[in-house]
Amino acid sequence: MGALVSLEGGDRSGKSTQVRLLKAHLESRKVPHVLLREPGSTAVGEVLRRLLLHSGPDGMEPLTELFLFAAARAQLVREVIRPCLARGLLVVVDRYLDSTVAYQGYGLGINLEIVRTVNRWATDGVVPEITILFDADPAGTLDARDDGGAPDRIEARGLAYHRRVREGYLDCAAREPERIRVIDATAEVMEVHRQVREHLEPLLAQVSGT
Ligand code: TYD
């Protein structure tokens, strides 16, 4: 059996840079792995991603948004994550079920019991062994665009929304401190990366059999 790791954090928390650094580390350490992103990483999921983030019509209801993220996840778990775990791979997913609790539960105010129930259906009980949460105050990060592009539909929701997202993540971490490891994302890039490696090392050793 492989192992599942998820990476979480607010928009512009520096998560993408850390994903790249982790990928390079896994390659140099020759850990058999696959790197996925949510929503996406399946043909169905990528269509849902466009609808959710870029080219969807206006006026999407919060519950519709919840179901579409969950639909992308249901597809990814069954089409990719489960088979990869069965092959013994380390599966790293950039965003997973805690994103939905933070963004649709705390951010949009959907009842958390509903969000958790939908998450359980979508994941069918496939929960990460370790989740890294890149934590940062959105007041300090939201303006710092690294690609120069226009914000997507969810990034554009403003500071109050993103503060609720952060609070949601921290509540998730307080509920499950063993699984969710909080890292201060405002620390220096290589220091953040060092902490990611430290948290994941036992799993890397387990998957590569070293
Ligand atoms: P992405 O471009 O991947 O953002 P980032 O680089 O910050 O990870 O876009 C994913 C967006 O979708 C991000 O704003 C968070 C949001 N999202 C949800 O609102 N709910 C979810 O369940 C997931 C997986 C993502």
Side-chain angles (χ1 to χ4, degrees):
M1 250 334 244
L4 176 63
V5 167
S6 63
L7 306 172
E8 295 281 0
D11 290 70
R12 309 278 137 210
S13 57
K15 182 166 57 60
S16 309
T17 305
Q18 293 299 329
V19 169
R20 280 195 294 276
L21 289 169
L22 177 60
K23 170 99 185 141
H25 177 60
L26 295 177
E27 274 160 13
S28 77
R29 213 171 162 305
K30 296 192 167 42
V31 179
H33 69 279
V34 58
L35 179 60
L36 308 169
R37 69 168 178 183
E38 274 216 359
S41 293
T42 63
V44 170
E46 291 295 333
V47 172
L48 293 170
R49 180 185 182 87
R50 277 200 297 283
L51 193 58
L52 280 160
L53 300 182
H54 302 298
S55 59
D58 291 340
M60 189 185 290
E61 284 291 327
L63 211 52
T64 310
E65 184 175 304
L66 170 71
F67 288 146
L68 291 181
F69 277 114
R73 181 160 310 134
Q75 186 74 27
L76 186 65
V77 167
R78 289 154 181 82
E79 187 180 318
V80 185
I81 296 181
R82 272 233 161 93
C84 286
L85 290 174
R87 281 168 51 208
L89 301 183
L90 179 77
V91 178
V92 179
V93 58
D94 181 353
R95 297 195 179 280
Y96 196 57
L97 78 179
D98 303 296
S99 277
T100 316
V101 175
Y103 282 80
Q104 281 66 51
Y106 286 75
L108 291 180
I110 300 175
N111 179 294
L112 293 176
E113 270 317 300
I114 294 179
V115 175
R116 292 202 171 99
T117 301
V118 169
N119 263 341
R120 267 197 302 277
W121 284 340
T123 59
D124 199 21
V126 178
V127 175
E129 286 183 47
I130 294 184
T131 296
I132 304 283
L133 171 55
F134 298 100
D135 176 56
D137 181 349
T141 56
L142 269 190
D143 293 340
R145 298 206 49 82
D146 53 15
D147 57 7
D152 65 40
R153 201 171 64 85
I154 289 175
E155 270 172 8
R157 281 181 179 160
L159 190 53
Y161 174 84
H162 289 281
R163 286 209 157 117
R164 292 197 297 279
V165 169
R166 183 193 191 193
E167 185 199 319
Y169 271 135
L170 292 175
D171 283 356
C172 289
R175 280 169 67 104
E176 292 181 77
E178 195 45 45
R179 171 171 72 86
I180 305 181
R181 317 285 173 86
V182 185
I183 296 182
D184 175 4
T186 65
E188 197 271 317
V189 171
M190 292 314 288
E191 169 56 21
V192 175
H193 175 58
R194 190 195 63 74
Q195 291 183 37
V196 172
R197 282 165 63 162
E198 198 171 282
H199 283 294
L200 297 186
E201 181 49 39
L203 278 189
L204 304 199
Q206 176 194 309
V207 168
S208 22
T210 54

